Amino acid sequence: MRTAESLPYEVFETEHTTIPLSDGAELAARIWRPNPEAVGAVPAILEFIPYRKRDHTAVRDSVHHPYLAGHGYASVRVDLRGSGESDGILTDEYLEQELSDAEEVLAWLAAQPWCSGRTGMMGISWGGFNALQVAARRPESLSAIVTVCSTDDRYADDVHYMGGCLLGDNLSWASTMFSFNACPPDPELVGPRWKDMWIERMRHSGLWVEKWLRHQSRDSYWQHGSICEDYSAVQCPVLAVSGWADGYSNAVFRLMERLEVPRKGLIGPWSHKYPHQGQPGPAVGFLQEMVRWWDRWLKDADNGVMDEPMLRTFMQDTVPPSTSYEDRPGRWVGEPSWPSPHVDAVTWPLLPGRLDRTTVGSDGTTATALTVRSPLSVGQFAGKWCSYNAPPDLPYDQREEDGGSLVFDTDELGQPYEILGAPEVELDCSVDRPVAMVAARLSDVATDGSATRVTYGLLNLTHRDGHGQPQPLQPGRRYRVRIALNGVAQRFPAGHRIRLSLSTSYWPLAWPPPEPVRLTVHTGSSRLTLPLRRTADSDDVTVRPFDPPEGCSPLPTTPIRPGEQMWRVTRDLVDYVSELEVIKDSGGYLLDDIGLTIDERVEERYSVRANQFASPRGEVQSRIRFSRDDWVASALTRTVMTCDVDNFYVHAELDAYHGTERVLSLNWSHTVPREGV
């Protein structure tokens, strides 16, 4: 990313201030503004997240918030109640308290003499979520939002559940927030009360993984904050962004289809990153895109933003399987609307071992019952549900996974085949257990036989009729079920084959069912539907080239200890334990401007013994340390999750230290009944 050497306006920064709320609490804020003598009152843009503006996101924030300020906006980073140096305790995601706080913050910003009275919200992940949710509440000043890597449906497309299956990321994400909630406020800003604030947060923020486990179906807990309950509630323009390696690309398609306001969608090859920092590349000039968006909706500039395609996506070309990519080959394409007039649903019947459109099997001659009972090792090369570009966290060659799956291949393609949208599998099937899941994977099979996963989907079959009221299956009974795969843009070249793989487990990406399951699929009456994009009709859509990525100079840091990223799969052939070990070590570094050193390491382990469905075990350990001169505060957290046929079991530990003195030690143990999961 190139550094913007000069900006239209000189930028003034308020490194720390507080915003008062009606209940007496104060939220910590960092504000970048253009020189008021040069520009006068300007619109304000809010990013409202819990990730600690003074340390954890400080370097990232320094790249894009001053950039927006230098283009004529007050760019504001506020820590949620209970995070950073803000008052209070953070007890969960997207609570009513959080959203009402956001409304108060927007009203405060709009009332400032340096603000024009118009505001926007932006954010990635948590900040993208609450931008959508606050938009649905229609605060008076909010004129537009930018939501990146977020969702309109907290149950269907979030880190907790997918297709009614419990995700492994539910544990890792809960453990991340467990560690964040154990971070102390900075004594330089809050003074001697820092220690009381810290201990109060650790005592009362709660064990989020246990809370999420107690909501295994789509109940009112998940409906809160899901704007899909009423898309019409959103009345301001929306720019929605994600990446194909991210976990949230599906929401962009739905928002383009179902919102009733001016809207734009952008999906690149990226993981869970802002597009100007996008990896895998190519990254794009997203800050310039945001400036154009804000200029249109916060300053009424007639700049042609809405004259361009509604949806811009990166059509990915074929690549060999790899757990990380520096860049993805492909090209940008544009669609005038979504659903696109250039995309057709094309059906491929499932035949024994084949996908073949020339034989539909309507006379029953191709109807065959195929069975699979997948080992628990299927899924060890699945990568993360949501890639954070912490290599190597992308899926690897699928051939080993295919050994425990039902596999259906096309013939070698006679010409290139492009898909854009969400593939769907419709199965005529039965199972031999009351609780079962199906993982469906679509792969690009090269001429050498290597298989690169393109997209996938999961379905807990007890959720076959919806996620609200799961129903056990009747063993042996035939059901028709639909499995939606994640949306994607992919070009399959001539000579390659398209492969559909079906398995009854996908551990540790998703928690397996309580017992081994035999799935029977009836071919002929089962099928795969692909969203075929007609390139001859669609490539005449003009797509304006993106500018190169640029931003402001990041805050200076000094490395103290090198970090480490590792994924290791091991199989012990003595006791038959298979384990995935993940290390995410950020190392140690000094924030030069405030003299604060941060050192952080996370270790995750997911194991299973042979084919024992009561043996899956997930463990996450985190260590984080803050220091300045003779002040040292650190926290160690550990979360372990296991199961049997009837229950999930969670044990967690937290130990906090001021220097060498242990100031707090907490333990939790919970049993949560399985509810068709």
Side-chain angles (χ1 to χ4, degrees):
M1 179 173 19
R2 70 186 184 192
T3 299
E5 300 294 344
S6 63
L7 299 170
Y9 300 103
E10 182 183 9
V11 176
F12 289 77
E13 179 185 350
T14 302
E15 196 268 342
H16 175 71
T17 190
T18 57
I19 297 175
L21 301 177
S22 58
D23 64 357
E26 294 184 336
L27 301 185
R30 191 168 193 161
I31 303 175
W32 296 261
R33 294 189 289 125
N35 184 346
E37 295 181 0
V39 70
V42 296
I45 301 167
L46 170 65
E47 186 175 22
F48 192 45
I49 52 178
Y51 304 132
R52 303 174 60 87
K53 66 175 178 58
R54 202 173 199 226
D55 42 61
H56 266 91
T57 66
V59 175
R60 185 201 72 178
D61 294 345
S62 66
V63 171
H64 57 246
H65 283 289
Y67 187 93
L68 297 175
H71 285 83
Y73 295 90
S75 202
V76 185
R77 250 290 277 120
V78 177
D79 279 333
L80 300 187
R81 185 186 294 250
S83 65
E85 285 69 52
S86 293
D87 290 341
I89 300 169
L90 184 62
T91 60
D92 202 354
E93 306 169 312
Y94 323 122
L95 295 173
E96 174 62 27
Q97 181 72 70
E98 172 186 335
L99 303 182
S100 62
D101 284 353
E103 291 183 278
E104 288 199 51
V105 170
L106 290 171
W108 183 88
L109 292 172
Q112 298 308 298
W114 39 260
C115 182
S116 67
R118 302 174 75 173
T119 64
M121 283 189 75
M122 59 171 276
I124 181 172
S125 198
W126 195 310
F129 273 67
N130 63 27
L132 271 174
Q133 294 165 17
V134 172
R137 297 163 75 97
R138 306 182 191 179
E140 183 178 358
S141 69
L142 188 63
S143 300
I145 67 168
V146 175
T147 178
V148 182
C149 301
S150 73
T151 188
D152 55 336
D153 190 331
R154 292 184 56 214
Y155 185 81
D157 272 308
D158 196 7
V159 71
H160 312 293
Y161 296 90
M162 180 181 184
C165 300
L166 175 64
L167 293 170
D169 271 23
N170 184 72
L171 172 62
S172 63
W173 175 239
S175 301
T176 296
M177 290 310 301
F178 190 26
S179 178
F180 261 101
N181 289 333
C183 295
D186 194 327
E188 265 196 357
L189 299 185
V190 302
R193 68 187 181 111
W194 75 271
K195 191 172 181 180
D196 289 339
M197 293 174 65
W198 183 34
I199 293 176
E200 188 76 2
R201 289 178 182 180
M202 291 187 287
R203 284 193 183 279
H204 299 293
S205 59
L207 192 64
W208 294 12
V209 65
E210 183 258 345
K211 182 177 300 185
W212 297 337
L213 277 177
R214 293 197 183 277
H215 298 276
Q216 294 172 34
S217 59
R218 195 176 190 281
D219 57 14
S220 60
Y221 176 84
W222 302 112
Q223 291 166 5
H224 168 77
S226 293
I227 70 154
C228 63
E229 296 293 310
D230 181 10
Y231 288 101
S232 67
V234 176
Q235 290 292 298
C236 68
V238 175
L239 173 58
V241 182
S242 188
W244 298 129
D246 182 44
Y248 296 99
S249 57
N250 296 327
V252 176
F253 290 110
R254 291 194 299 267
L255 291 170
M256 294 306 100
E257 179 177 0
R258 298 170 186 172
L259 286 177
E260 301 170 0
V261 294
R263 57 204 182 276
K264 290 287 185 181
L266 172 62
I267 310 176
W270 319 297
S271 60
H272 202 67
K273 297 280 187 180
Y274 274 117
H276 57 290
Q277 300 166 324
Q279 296 172 302
V284 299
F286 184 62
L287 293 179
Q288 298 96 304
E289 295 300 310
M290 280 208 292
V291 168
R292 296 180 70 237
W293 181 257
W294 298 128
D295 284 351
R296 171 63 185 89
W297 297 112
L298 300 188
K299 294 182 178 178
D300 299 322
D302 185 11
N303 57 11
V305 163
M306 300 308 296
D307 298 332
E308 299 169 1
M310 173 186 283
L311 177 64
R312 284 190 286 180
T313 64
F314 190 76
M315 180 62 67
Q316 300 177 124
D317 280 338
T318 187
V319 287
S322 176
T323 56
S324 65
Y325 300 96
E326 188 72 23
D327 288 287
R328 289 293 304 259
R331 72 188 194 281
W332 288 101
V333 299
E335 301 296 340
S337 59
W338 193 262
S340 169
H342 306 133
V343 175
D344 298 320
V346 177
T347 297
W348 295 75
L350 273 57
L351 305 177
R354 298 163 47 221
L355 295 168
D356 189 345
R357 295 185 62 212
T358 64
T359 308
V360 298
S362 59
D363 59 359
T365 57
T366 58
T368 302
L370 305 177
T371 65
V372 65
R373 182 173 168 176
S374 301
L376 284 172
S377 58
V378 173
Q380 287 192 314
F381 300 114
K384 289 280 282 184
W385 170 81
C386 176
S387 169
Y388 293 88
N389 195 54
D393 66 358
L394 295 174
Y396 190 49
D397 194 325
Q398 297 293 287
R399 282 178 289 183
E400 193 166 339
E401 311 278 53
D402 289 341
S405 309
L406 288 178
V407 174
F408 306 87
D409 284 3
T410 66
D411 292 334
E412 291 186 359
L413 299 174
Q415 60 186 16
Y417 195 98
E418 286 190 359
I419 61 173
L420 174 59
E424 183 180 87
V425 177
E426 185 176 354
L427 296 182
D428 177 359
C429 65
S430 61
V431 293
D432 63 350
R433 292 290 185 270
V435 178
M437 66 168 285
V438 177
R441 294 173 280 117
L442 196 71
S443 297
D444 174 9
V445 182
T447 54
D448 65 0
S450 61
T452 301
R453 197 188 73 191
V454 169
T455 184
Y456 73 102
L458 306 177
L459 179 63
N460 177 345
L461 295 181
T462 71
H463 290 233
R464 61 195 177 277
D465 297 323
H467 299 307
Q469 295 182 320
Q471 296 294 324
L473 297 127
Q474 180 180 330
R477 177 182 170 184
R478 287 172 69 163
Y479 297 92
R480 292 201 71 83
V481 301
R482 295 177 182 270
I483 306 167
L485 280 61
N486 289 333
V488 71
Q490 180 70 36
R491 183 178 187 272
F492 298 86
H496 282 214
R497 290 173 287 140
I498 299 173
R499 172 174 294 168
L500 173 68
S501 307
L502 304 175
S503 63
T504 57
S505 65
Y506 209 38
W507 167 259
L509 189 143
W511 211 268
E515 301 175 282
V517 174
R518 184 176 300 280
L519 171 71
T520 300
V521 174
H522 299 275
T523 64
S525 52
S526 298
R527 58 194 179 192
L528 167 69
T529 300
L530 295 177
L532 174 66
R533 184 175 186 269
R534 301 189 309 275
T535 57
D537 298 332
S538 54
D539 276 357
D540 58 351
V541 176
T542 301
V543 181
R544 178 182 54 83
F546 288 106
D547 293 331
E550 68 176 20
C552 292
S553 297
L555 287 173
T557 61
T558 300
I560 303 296
R561 180 182 67 82
E564 177 187 8
Q565 303 282 354
M566 186 194 74
W567 281 56
R568 178 185 290 128
V569 174
T570 60
R571 292 175 181 168
D572 188 327
L573 297 183
V574 175
D575 59 10
Y576 302 107
V577 171
S578 297
E579 182 178 77
L580 169 64
E581 180 185 9
V582 181
I583 294 177
K584 297 181 289 186
D585 188 336
S586 302
Y589 59 94
L590 172 70
L591 291 169
D592 296 351
D593 62 327
I594 60 173
L596 180 71
T597 297
I598 306 172
D599 194 287
E600 184 175 11
R601 180 180 174 89
V602 178
E603 298 179 7
E604 303 180 26
R605 288 180 173 83
Y606 303 92
S607 64
V608 68
R609 182 184 296 275
N611 207 35
Q612 298 175 21
F613 276 63
S615 67
R617 183 182 189 276
E619 178 178 349
V620 182
Q621 295 188 62
S622 174
R623 183 197 72 216
I624 191 164
R625 182 178 185 271
F626 298 83
S627 61
R628 178 190 293 114
D629 301 326
D630 59 353
W631 174 75
V632 180
S634 59
L636 307 176
T637 60
R638 176 173 175 261
T639 310
V640 178
M641 183 172 161
T642 59
C643 70
D644 59 22
V645 171
D646 300 312
N647 299 297
F648 293 111
Y649 301 97
V650 178
H651 176 74
E653 304 166 0
L654 185 157
D655 289 284
Y657 294 85
H658 181 200
T660 58
E661 176 193 4
R662 186 164 65 180
V663 296
L664 189 66
S665 182
L666 299 172
N667 286 266
W668 295 260
S669 289
H670 294 282
T671 299
V672 181
R674 300 178 78 143
E675 300 172 2
V677 173

